Amino acid sequence: MTDREIAGHFGVTAETFCRWKKAHPELAEAMQGARAIADARVAASLYQRAVGYSMECEDVKMVAGEPQIVRYRKTFPPDVTAQIFWLKNRRPDLWRDRTESAVTGATGREPVRLTVEHVKPVTAQAQEGAHDDR
C-alpha cells in the first residue's frame, strides 16, 4: 500500500502519517521492510513467469455422483513479455531498445556538436512550385 492508502486506513492525512514515520523511526523501518518483502515476492513471481513453472493444483469433480478432489500438475510455459521486461531492467547494458554512440572529432578527443532540425514534409503544391523555379 502507498503511504496515502495507509493513512486513509488509519483515518488521517498522508502528511500526518509522514509525521508519524518521522517521529517513530521503527514505523518507517517496518514499512521499508514490508515493502522490500512485497518487492521480493513480485520479483520472484516475475522470474517464475519468465522461465516457466509447474504447480500442484486441486479440482473437485463429480465421480459416480460423489464429489472427489482431483490433484494434478499444471505447467505454465515461459512468457516472452516477462523475459523482455526482466532483461531490460536487470541488464539494460545488453537489452535496452536504444543504443548510445559517442562521436568525436578528427583527433578523437573533442566531441562533435550535431544539430538536428525537424523539417516539415513537402506538400504536393510546394513541390510543383519548386519545379517552376528551376
Side-chain angles (χ1 to χ4, degrees), residues 2 28-29 49 93 104 110 119 129:
T2 66
E29 287 176 29
R49 192 73 175 113
D93 57 319
T104 59
E110 73 279 357
V119 180

Side-chain angles (χ1 to χ4, degrees), residues 4 14 91 121 132:
R4 186 170 302 283
R91 295 298 310 267
D132 295 338

Side-chain angles (χ1 to χ4, degrees), residues 4-134:
R4 186 170 302 283
E5 291 168 333
I6 294 169
H9 178 73
F10 287 114
V12 298
T13 66
E15 293 77 17
T16 298
F17 186 68
C18 184
R19 282 194 302 274
W20 288 358
K21 288 193 311 181
K22 287 180 183 175
H24 303 281
E26 65 277 7
L27 174 60
E29 287 176 29
M31 298 279 304
Q32 280 184 316
R35 287 181 174 149
I37 291 169
D39 290 346
R41 288 184 64 196
V42 171
S45 296
L46 176 63
Y47 177 79
Q48 282 189 315
R49 192 73 175 113
V51 298
Y53 63 99
S54 296
M55 65 182 287
E56 296 294 325
C57 298
E58 293 182 350
D59 201 2
V60 177
K61 301 280 183 180
M62 295 300 285
V63 178
E66 295 290 321
Q68 297 285 323
I69 295 176
V70 178
R71 290 180 178 85
Y72 62 97
R73 185 163 201 73
K74 186 169 182 175
T75 300
F76 297 87
D79 181 322
V80 174
T81 302
Q83 292 169 346
I84 292 168
F85 184 82
W86 181 270
L87 290 170
K88 282 184 178 182
N89 283 281
R90 298 277 295 176
R91 295 298 310 267
D93 57 319
L94 298 174
W95 291 95
R96 66 179 155 210
D97 289 330
R98 188 174 48 131
T99 58
E100 295 177 15
S101 300
V103 179
T104 59
T107 65
R109 283 183 251 155
E110 73 279 357
V112 174
R113 174 168 284 181
L114 299 175
T115 303
V116 178
E117 293 182 20
H118 295 280
V119 180
K120 289 184 180 179
V122 177
T123 63
Q125 191 176 30
Q127 277 184 330
E128 289 174 12
H131 292 298
D132 295 338
D133 292 340
R134 284 194 218 169

